[in-house]
Amino acid sequence: MNTRTRVLTGTALAVALGAGTFGAVSAGAAQAETVPAAAAAASAKKDGGANEKNFTTTTHLTVDAAARAAQAALDAAQKENQKVTVAVVDRNGNTIVTLRGDGAGPQSYESAQRKAYTAVSWNAPTSVLAGRLAQTPNLKDIPGTLFLGGGTPVQAKGAPVAGIGVAGAPSGDLDEKYAKAGADSLEK
């Protein structure tokens, strides 16, 4: 064989071996991908999807429910000609929905959110929490909180799942009355 034939034969052989190796690697990779999937499926059947001691199940307020509760609170305030803002936060204090009523003051937006956050954080109405400031005045220094009447927690099986805050009425008692109307609407 001449040199040119040997080079072409060697190249063809290298290409063939490379293709065979690539096919084997691809087949091995595909098989390797199915092994963890099969193991995960077997594990899921064994323990219901995951090792349950590593996870917790929580209840959350849906966006639809939060919007209905906020609207119920706003409606209660509007029936008494009060201009308020209503905020609903989830268990972690993240805002789900905020409704600013016509004519509500600019300060009411943040105040409503902070009241809702405070109520869900302590699982208590903010009017009750405001009374605790006499014994523990530094509670007011916790970021994001507002210890004024107008916030109420939303509970499921006794645990807080959301908070509703209302701000803008002439008193915290009125704000809290409207927040409670929002929470009560979820029980219907």
Side-chain angles (χ1 to χ4, degrees):
M1 260 199 235
N2 68 23
T3 305
R4 182 175 178 184
T5 304
R6 278 190 237 158
V7 169
L8 288 176
T9 303
T11 304
L13 185 57
V15 169
L17 286 172
T21 302
F22 177 74
V25 169
S26 295
Q31 184 180 9
E33 289 174 7
T34 59
V35 171
S43 174
K45 288 179 186 173
K46 183 177 84 174
D47 63 7
N51 187 342
E52 294 186 21
K53 68 180 179 183
N54 293 328
F55 299 93
T56 183
T57 302
T58 60
T59 302
H60 295 277
L61 198 61
T62 65
V63 172
D64 181 55
R68 283 183 288 126
Q71 189 63 56
L74 187 62
D75 290 347
Q78 288 175 338
K79 282 181 185 173
E80 297 182 7
N81 295 317
Q82 297 301 320
K83 297 170 180 14
V84 301
T85 297
V86 181
V88 181
V89 301
D90 67 12
R91 175 63 184 110
N92 299 317
N94 300 309
T95 302
I96 302 172
V97 64
T98 302
L99 296 178
R100 185 174 176 273
D102 293 336
Q107 79 289 355
S108 66
Y109 189 88
E110 182 180 350
S111 296
Q113 289 178 323
R114 290 175 60 191
K115 289 177 183 184
Y117 175 82
T118 305
V120 75
S121 294
W122 277 274
N123 193 23
T126 53
S127 61
V128 171
L129 298 170
R132 295 182 188 170
L133 287 177
Q135 297 109 347
T136 317
N138 59 346
L139 278 179
K140 70 183 180 323
D141 298 332
I142 297 173
T145 59
L146 186 58
F147 292 89
L148 297 174
T152 191
V154 175
Q155 299 177 348
K157 298 178 185 174
V161 296
I164 301 175
V166 176
S171 74
D173 291 340
L174 285 174
D175 285 339
E176 200 159 305
K177 173 183 171 183
Y178 307 139
K180 181 134 177 48
D184 289 347
S185 74
L186 295 171
E187 296 175 9
K188 295 177 184 176

